[in-house]
Amino acid sequence: MAPKFGTSGLRGLATELTPVLVADYVHAFLTVCETGSAVHVGRDLRASSPAIANAVIEAVRAGGVNAVDCGVLPTPALALSAAEAGASAVMVTGSHIPADRNGLKFYVLGGEIAKRDEEAITAALGQVWLGEAQGAITQESKALIRYRDRYVGAFAHALSGMRVGVYQHSSVARDVLVDVLEATGAMVVPLARSEKFVPVDTEALDPGVRDMLSGWCLEHGLDAVISTDGDADRPMVADATGRVVPGDVLGALTARALGARTLCTPVSSNSMIDAMPEFERIERTRIGSPYVIAAMEACLAAKPEERVVGYEANGGFLLGFEAHGPSGPISALMTRDCLLPILAPLTAAQQQGGGLAALSASLPSRFTAADRIKDVPIDRSKAFIATLTHDWVARQSFFKNMGPEAELDLTDGLRVHFDSGDVIHLRPSGNAPEFRIYAEASDERRAGYLVRVYSDFVSRMM
């Protein structure tokens, strides 16, 4: 399957991300987007990333634009570096997808590209590049330090007394996570560092990973275990038993801790926020950060002082206003970040006492679960969803054990609300041959059961 450009940027097999293809996308980006003083370029720890990053840098320079090589660093650290310099950025990463794949993420002056930018880049592909000037190339060695200091300054000593494990694997943030936690007072236990790339999907962790988390908590007496996906724009946080706190719960806890009043989040996020009086306005979007960003931008355009944040069900958190941590300010950063939704909930748990489990239990009782089925062609997934959407008989047969339908939501995929209060959401991945299954219920075991049952149903039908 040819590389695909969607809500998470360009993704495809690493062997298909040739210098010619990379140059076409970079040139289209330079042509239609405001790139500022330079293009900052970063990469994750995949074996294919250095060569692709070099291709990006050469394409930027060939367009007569200066390139800043930021090396290996988290995606939000790259975005912060570019924003502070009045520049744009390109991150070479495949995030959580398999190691034989890779991709590009694009950042304009205000942060991640929005849907309109994505559409403009697509429309500009294939044009003859007429640039003559050769841009300069410089090295940036302090971007990671500034990212670290952003959070150490805001959360100094906030985690004193906590014992936290860091599942390092091949996350590009594996060292800065340890550094930041130690600088904020935590006792840190580094765990399972890998020199081979490990695709970790924080939204759908493999059972083996979940078993490791609980084992580490018991073995090391941990208060929590944290980690990220490959490029560190998604957090993973588990409580003292190794139970993972879902990303949309982390999002709600972080928003509450920062004093946010408006939330922008995809339709798949936990609906408990509807019952939380702290939030005055909730905007539901399609799944994908460009849609969340577009909703945030609309809110800020109407009311620039709006205390607006965005987050996805995978936990990636976007800050639309200057917030304050226990010891200092946190400037707005309109890109998915992993550190803020790790530090804010851990700090709240420490302040409240009782740990993350007690903090999560203080929220309204709605629970979500999610899983993915790998190696399902996107065309087949879309055809399956189309059948269930338009054929009432087929849908009734597929959901025959769920009871009467209360509402059909077609915002993104097929999301069915039932009279019982249960929700099943089916959606093809937009950038990988995967099929996503989400469930929501008033009981945690029920949500997990529904995901298991319908994952099995879908697997057999695919």
Side-chain angles (χ1 to χ4, degrees):
M1 183 177 67
K4 182 177 176 60
F5 187 52
T7 56
S8 293
L10 177 68
R11 286 187 182 174
L13 290 169
T15 54
E16 295 179 338
L17 295 175
T18 64
V20 172
L21 181 72
V22 168
D24 193 14
Y25 273 91
V26 171
H27 291 162
F29 171 61
L30 296 176
T31 299
V32 301
C33 293
E34 189 176 0
T35 54
S37 61
V39 177
H40 290 222
V41 181
R43 65 184 189 270
D44 68 11
L45 289 170
R46 292 168 187 264
S48 60
S49 291
I52 297 173
N54 286 336
V56 171
I57 289 170
E58 289 309 307
V60 170
R61 296 182 66 205
V65 178
N66 295 336
V68 180
D69 184 359
C70 296
V72 174
L73 77 172
T75 294
L78 176 69
L80 180 66
S81 174
E84 290 179 340
S88 54
V90 179
M91 179 71 180
V92 178
T93 180
S95 187
H96 64 281
I97 61 178
D100 63 342
R101 299 172 184 273
N102 214 321
L104 305 178
K105 291 181 178 178
F106 296 92
Y107 294 80
V108 291
L109 300 187
E112 288 187 54
I113 59 171
K115 198 64 183 173
R116 62 180 180 276
D117 301 311
E118 175 194 321
E119 294 167 351
I121 292 170
T122 301
L125 292 173
Q127 297 181 13
V128 176
W129 184 251
L130 300 176
E132 295 180 359
Q134 185 79 357
I137 178 171
T138 57
Q139 307 292 321
E140 172 56 79
S141 60
K142 296 183 178 179
L144 192 58
I145 295 172
R146 291 196 297 272
Y147 180 65
R148 169 204 181 272
D149 291 348
R150 167 187 175 86
Y151 291 112
V152 173
F155 291 91
H157 311 297
L159 303 185
S160 295
M162 292 195 82
R163 188 173 177 85
V164 182
V166 176
Y167 174 30
Q168 292 189 297
H169 62 91
S170 53
S171 166
V172 74
R174 59 190 181 183
D175 294 321
V176 74
L177 287 175
V178 173
D179 190 9
V180 168
L181 287 178
E182 289 182 339
T184 54
M187 297 178 60
V188 180
V189 181
L191 300 161
R193 186 184 184 93
S194 174
E195 298 311 313
K196 181 179 178 181
F197 187 81
V198 179
V200 173
D201 186 348
T202 60
E203 193 176 6
L205 289 174
D206 294 331
V209 173
R210 294 180 183 273
D211 290 342
M212 286 195 304
L213 297 176
S214 58
W216 289 331
C217 287
L218 184 62
E219 178 183 357
H220 299 286
L222 303 175
D223 296 303
V225 182
I226 68 163
S227 189
T228 77
D229 62 341
D231 70 318
D233 64 353
R234 303 180 181 189
M236 187 224 74
V237 180
D239 66 20
T241 69
R243 178 177 294 183
V244 173
V245 181
D248 46 4
V249 174
L250 293 176
L253 290 171
T254 303
R256 184 171 70 177
L258 297 176
R261 292 293 176 263
T262 296
L263 308 186
C264 299
T265 192
V267 66
S268 58
S269 293
N270 194 311
S271 66
M272 66 182 177
I273 52 179
D274 297 329
M276 296 179 67
E278 299 94 334
F279 307 129
E280 299 169 355
R281 179 180 176 186
I282 296 170
E283 294 290 334
R284 294 284 187 169
T285 73
R286 291 184 63 184
I287 296 170
S289 57
Y291 300 107
V292 176
I293 291 167
M296 293 176 69
E297 288 178 340
C299 291
L300 290 169
K303 187 179 179 182
E305 69 277 14
E306 188 76 36
R307 299 174 68 84
V308 60
V309 300
Y311 64 85
E312 297 186 273
N314 57 41
F317 196 89
L318 302 98
L319 181 61
F321 68 100
E322 181 173 278
H324 290 270
S327 59
I330 313 168
S331 61
L333 184 60
M334 292 279 279
T335 190
R336 288 168 291 180
D337 183 30
C338 69
L339 262 176
L340 190 53
I342 289 173
L343 293 170
L346 288 179
T347 298
Q350 186 75 336
Q351 291 173 340
Q352 177 177 298
L356 278 170
L359 185 68
S360 299
S362 69
L363 299 172
S365 295
R366 290 294 290 176
F367 300 92
T368 58
D371 201 358
R372 59 176 173 165
I373 302 170
K374 301 179 182 179
D375 301 319
V376 180
I378 293 175
D379 290 346
R380 187 181 301 175
S381 297
K382 289 183 176 179
F384 177 65
I385 291 295
T387 297
L388 291 184
T389 299
H390 302 295
D391 188 334
W392 185 86
V393 174
R395 192 167 68 250
Q396 293 300 305
S397 176
F398 185 74
F399 293 116
K400 62 183 178 181
N401 297 322
M402 295 299 298
E405 289 182 8
E407 180 185 349
L408 203 62
D409 188 335
L410 304 179
T411 301
D412 197 344
L414 176 67
R415 185 175 180 87
V416 185
H417 297 247
F418 298 93
D419 283 351
S420 63
D422 294 338
V423 179
I424 302 290
H425 186 173
L426 307 177
R427 173 182 174 266
S429 172
N431 45 47
E434 299 175 348
F435 192 95
R436 298 278 179 169
I437 298 99
Y438 309 86
E440 182 173 325
S442 57
D443 179 84
E444 185 175 12
R445 288 175 296 179
R446 173 70 175 171
Y449 167 78
L450 291 174
V451 162
R452 291 192 298 273
V453 166
Y454 281 93
S455 293
D456 183 56
F457 285 174
V458 171
S459 295
R460 285 188 277 131
M461 297 183 75
M462 293 293 182

